[in-house]
Amino acid sequence: MRASIVSAVVLFLAATSSATAFDARDLEKLTSNSSCGGCDLRGAKLQSMDLKEAYLKGANLRDSVLKQINLSDANLIETDMRRSDLEKATLVSADLEYAILQDADLEKALLTNANLRRTDLRGADLDSASVEGGKFQEADIRKANFKRANLSQANFSDAKVTDVNFKRATMIGAIMTKAELNNANFTRADLTDARLDEADLRHTNFYRANLRNTVLSGSRLSNATFWGADLSGANLRDANGLEQEQLDVACGSRETVLPKNLSIRDCGA
């Protein structure tokens, strides 16, 4: 009986090891010509490598170490990078459509103009990341962290952004039309000229947020918090669930557009 138990443990450990180890031949292929579509690179250590314009479509990079790697203009469509360490990685203009980045570490990563359409970013950490012009349409970003991130001109239309942390993020001109943003945290975020029209913003926190000229028309604002927020020039026409009490702790301007029978004090008063 004891021998059979030991054998079973050995077989289990071997199976676990093979399930998490990368294929050495695939790694050699990648390092030799920067092309390895569909390759098995699970747990590979590729930190600081220059893989600009690499072809990694459909590759498995789960649990890999990719710190400070250069993947600018790389094809990462459908790539599995869940739980990978991409801290300070460069992914400028990389194509990550349908990629899986669930629980990945992207702190201080550079993703300017990256294509993140339909990407799975649930629980990912993008603290202080730069994603100017990033394309997040229809992406699943629930419970991700964008604290202090630069998301100016980024497009989150139709994305699932529930319970996301945007505290102190720079989101000038960001597009979040029809996004699911309930329970999101925009504390002290800069949303100047952003579009949140028809977005689900129930229970969202806009504490001291800059919402100057922000479009919020047709959005759902039940139980949203606007304490100290600047709504100067903002458009809240046809906003649903907005109550006077929510506006009493904010300020705006003569250009602020509100639903009928609601008012807001002037920020200059």
Side-chain angles (χ1 to χ4, degrees):
M1 176 66 74
R2 181 179 177 81
S4 61
I5 293 175
V6 172
S7 297
V9 171
V10 170
L11 286 171
F12 172 76
L13 292 174
T16 302
S17 176
S18 62
T20 58
F22 59 86
D23 189 317
R25 291 169 299 181
D26 284 349
L27 181 58
E28 183 179 358
K29 181 180 178 181
L30 175 64
T31 55
S32 63
N33 59 18
S34 298
S35 180
C36 204
C39 286
D40 184 356
L41 297 163
R42 288 170 294 171
K45 295 181 179 180
L46 306 173
Q47 64 266 36
S48 303
M49 286 187 63
D50 186 359
L51 292 172
K52 184 178 180 180
E53 300 180 354
Y55 182 83
L56 284 159
K57 182 178 179 179
N60 189 343
L61 284 156
R62 192 183 305 180
D63 299 303
S64 296
V65 180
L66 308 169
K67 294 179 68 170
Q68 297 182 307
I69 193 172
N70 183 5
L71 285 165
S72 296
D73 299 298
N75 185 332
L76 298 162
I77 296 173
E78 300 175 349
T79 300
D80 186 349
M81 289 186 283
R82 71 187 80 183
R83 296 184 302 275
S84 289
D85 186 353
L86 286 146
E87 183 180 350
K88 295 183 180 179
T90 300
L91 294 128
V92 175
S93 299
D95 193 344
L96 291 140
E97 189 159 1
Y98 286 111
I100 303 174
L101 287 155
Q102 188 176 351
D103 296 317
D105 182 0
L106 287 149
E107 184 178 354
K108 297 180 181 178
L110 184 59
L111 291 126
T112 308
N113 296 320
N115 179 16
L116 294 145
R117 290 186 180 93
R118 305 176 186 87
T119 300
D120 184 351
L121 281 157
R122 287 176 294 168
D125 183 9
L126 289 99
D127 190 331
S128 303
S130 182
V131 203
E132 292 178 87
K135 304 168 185 68
F136 293 93
Q137 292 97 316
E138 300 181 60
D140 191 343
I141 316 171
R142 287 174 290 178
K143 297 185 178 181
N145 178 33
F146 286 92
K147 186 177 180 180
R148 293 184 292 264
N150 187 346
L151 297 160
S152 296
Q153 310 302 323
N155 193 333
F156 291 87
S157 295
D158 298 306
K160 296 178 181 178
V161 204
T162 303
D163 296 310
V164 172
N165 182 13
F166 290 106
K167 186 176 181 179
R168 295 183 181 274
T170 301
M171 306 181 72
I172 299 170
I175 300 172
M176 309 188 90
T177 302
K178 297 182 179 179
E180 298 176 19
L181 287 153
N182 43 313
N183 292 306
N185 181 10
F186 288 101
T187 296
R188 296 183 182 273
D190 187 352
L191 288 148
T192 303
D193 296 319
R195 293 197 55 175
L196 287 82
D197 42 318
E198 300 184 55
D200 185 351
L201 295 162
R202 292 172 297 167
H203 301 281
T204 295
N205 185 4
F206 289 106
Y207 175 84
R208 291 192 179 278
N210 185 349
L211 294 159
R212 297 175 66 88
N213 302 319
T214 302
V215 179
L216 293 150
S217 57
S219 59
R220 303 170 68 182
L221 291 166
S222 299
N223 299 303
T225 302
F226 290 97
W227 198 97
D230 185 347
L231 286 155
S232 298
N235 183 353
L236 293 99
R237 180 180 284 112
D238 300 322
N240 299 304
L242 184 64
E243 303 290 341
Q244 184 60 50
E245 293 75 27
Q246 293 167 269
L247 297 173
D248 287 341
V249 292
C251 68
S253 66
R254 288 184 299 176
E255 291 74 28
T256 301
V257 179
L258 298 171
K260 291 181 179 180
N261 303 319
L262 296 181
S263 62
I264 194 168
R265 70 178 178 86
D266 194 297
C267 289

